[in-house]
Amino acid sequence: MPPRRPLRTVRIRPSRGIPGLQHDGGDQREPPSTKRFMRWGSGGRGVFQNASSPSALPPEQPVTEEKVGGRALKRQVLDLLMSKDLDLSLAKFRALPGRRVVNPLIGLLCHPSEETKWRAVKALGAVIDLMARSQIEDARVVMRRFMWMLNDESGGIGWGAPEAMGEIMARNRTLAEEFSSVLVSYSDERGNFIEHEALQRGLLWGIGRVAQVHPDLMKPAAGHLCKYLGSEDPTVRGLVAWASGFVGAGACIPELARMVGDATVITLFLDTRLTERQIGQLAADSLRLLEACEV
């Protein structure tokens, strides 16, 4: 069977009279510059109309976020992240098409500005949480994408992936129940252990963030945290000191007690902003939580 020829647009002149077609009226002597086209009416009959006729074209569709171009959307996403009111920005992110804003937000996890990067983490949490409530499989695909980013075979490093996973799971219990064990495995030397210290920072933050909301799901991480207390990276030590209390890592109590006097200042993202805290203060806070759990 010969291949079908592609369809092409044909201009039909009403003066030639084509069987089966009816004219919609109007002056037959209209100027040649008037554009005309044929639409199909009821019963499969062709009807001629002027392009200027109000009923000729379908009603103009409202401009929606789905129709925003790629560059414009990236600019819009960045502008929202730069807004002073992060809570208001997160509310606006929920109104954007989730599947379209995911890529720009993941790209901003590598932004040179720490504040912008962390705001992207928070926005991903809000967007994927909303997505999971109506399209759970799409949300799972995003979580698997973060897993792939942390896989050696991906060829990348996975900047921001553990933090994003942690924020998403903190917001959505369903995803936390499915993927919390994956996050914990990145701290397990017998599992998918992350050796890169910069990524360990994000991992410990992610574990602590999930444990703030779903401590029962992060209990398996308790046995893996103490080894980080001996890290040469003060931010890693400070983050594990912060996370230990939420996770319930009682085995870390002796080392945390020795860290209470550590005046080293680190920067970490708490609530909705970057803040500076002394490692000793973080250790003391965790000790109070752990002691309260033992009572």
Side-chain angles (χ1 to χ4, degrees):
M1 186 177 210
R4 293 186 178 180
R5 301 177 67 179
L7 298 176
R8 58 192 181 92
T9 303
V10 178
R11 173 174 288 184
I12 302 174
R13 296 182 180 179
S15 61
R16 293 184 177 178
I18 300 177
L21 296 180
Q22 67 180 22
H23 197 276
D24 65 345
D27 189 355
Q28 297 291 332
R29 297 170 297 174
E30 62 190 38
S33 59
T34 302
K35 294 182 179 179
R36 304 174 64 77
F37 68 95
M38 183 182 72
R39 68 176 176 83
W40 295 107
S42 59
R45 305 187 65 185
V47 179
F48 283 110
Q49 287 187 315
N50 294 336
S52 59
S53 172
S55 62
L57 297 174
E60 182 178 354
Q61 298 296 320
V63 177
T64 64
E65 299 297 346
E66 290 284 359
K67 296 185 178 181
V68 176
R71 290 186 178 181
L73 184 62
K74 290 179 181 178
R75 183 72 254 175
Q76 185 178 8
V77 167
L78 184 58
D79 287 344
L80 283 175
L81 291 181
M82 301 289 284
S83 173
K84 292 182 179 180
D85 191 338
L86 180 57
D87 291 333
L88 179 59
S89 295
L90 294 180
K92 291 182 178 180
F93 269 114
R94 295 186 185 97
L96 294 174
R99 283 197 282 186
R100 290 204 64 199
V101 299
V102 165
N103 284 343
L105 286 173
I106 290 179
L108 289 169
L109 294 177
C110 300
H111 197 277
S113 166
E114 277 288 299
E115 184 173 3
T116 301
K117 170 249 179 142
W118 282 108
R119 284 173 171 245
V121 168
K122 298 294 288 187
L124 278 165
V127 169
I128 305 305
D129 170 44
L130 185 63
M131 181 186 294
R133 296 174 188 272
S134 58
Q135 299 169 311
I136 186 65
E137 190 55 40
D138 288 345
R140 291 184 180 121
V141 169
V142 177
M143 295 296 285
R144 295 186 193 112
R145 179 175 175 181
F146 289 130
M147 292 168 60
W148 171 249
M149 290 169 62
L150 292 168
N151 191 313
D152 292 337
E153 297 179 1
S154 71
I157 298 180
W159 298 120
E163 298 96 310
M165 292 178 71
E167 180 64 23
I168 291 167
M169 287 189 282
R171 288 177 174 267
N172 191 279
R173 174 81 186 191
T174 300
L175 292 175
E177 290 175 349
E178 294 184 26
F179 292 95
S180 60
S181 61
V182 176
L183 192 66
V184 172
S185 74
Y186 296 132
S187 66
D188 187 353
E189 292 177 323
R190 297 169 299 177
N192 303 310
F193 186 68
I194 292 177
E195 297 181 358
H196 199 298
E197 284 193 342
L199 285 180
Q200 288 177 357
R201 296 179 181 182
L203 170 63
L204 293 168
W205 185 91
I207 289 174
R209 178 72 179 102
V210 178
Q212 283 182 315
V213 186
H214 314 298
D216 57 312
L217 298 180
M218 285 293 106
K219 284 183 179 179
H224 304 307
L225 294 187
C226 295
K227 60 178 174 287
Y228 293 104
L229 293 173
S231 173
E232 296 181 359
D233 184 345
T235 301
V236 169
R237 295 199 307 272
L239 282 166
V240 73
W242 166 77
S244 295
F246 300 118
V247 173
C252 297
I253 289 179
E255 186 61 30
L256 288 172
R258 287 191 288 269
M259 295 172 66
V260 171
D262 190 340
T264 304
V265 176
I266 66 168
T267 301
L268 68 163
F269 191 82
L270 298 178
D271 297 324
T272 59
R273 65 183 184 276
L274 287 167
T275 184
E276 292 185 345
R277 298 285 298 275
Q278 289 186 358
I279 292 178
Q281 293 176 335
L282 297 170
D285 292 342
S286 283
L287 281 173
R288 282 193 288 272
L289 290 174
L290 292 170
E291 291 170 356
C293 291
E294 291 182 348
V295 175

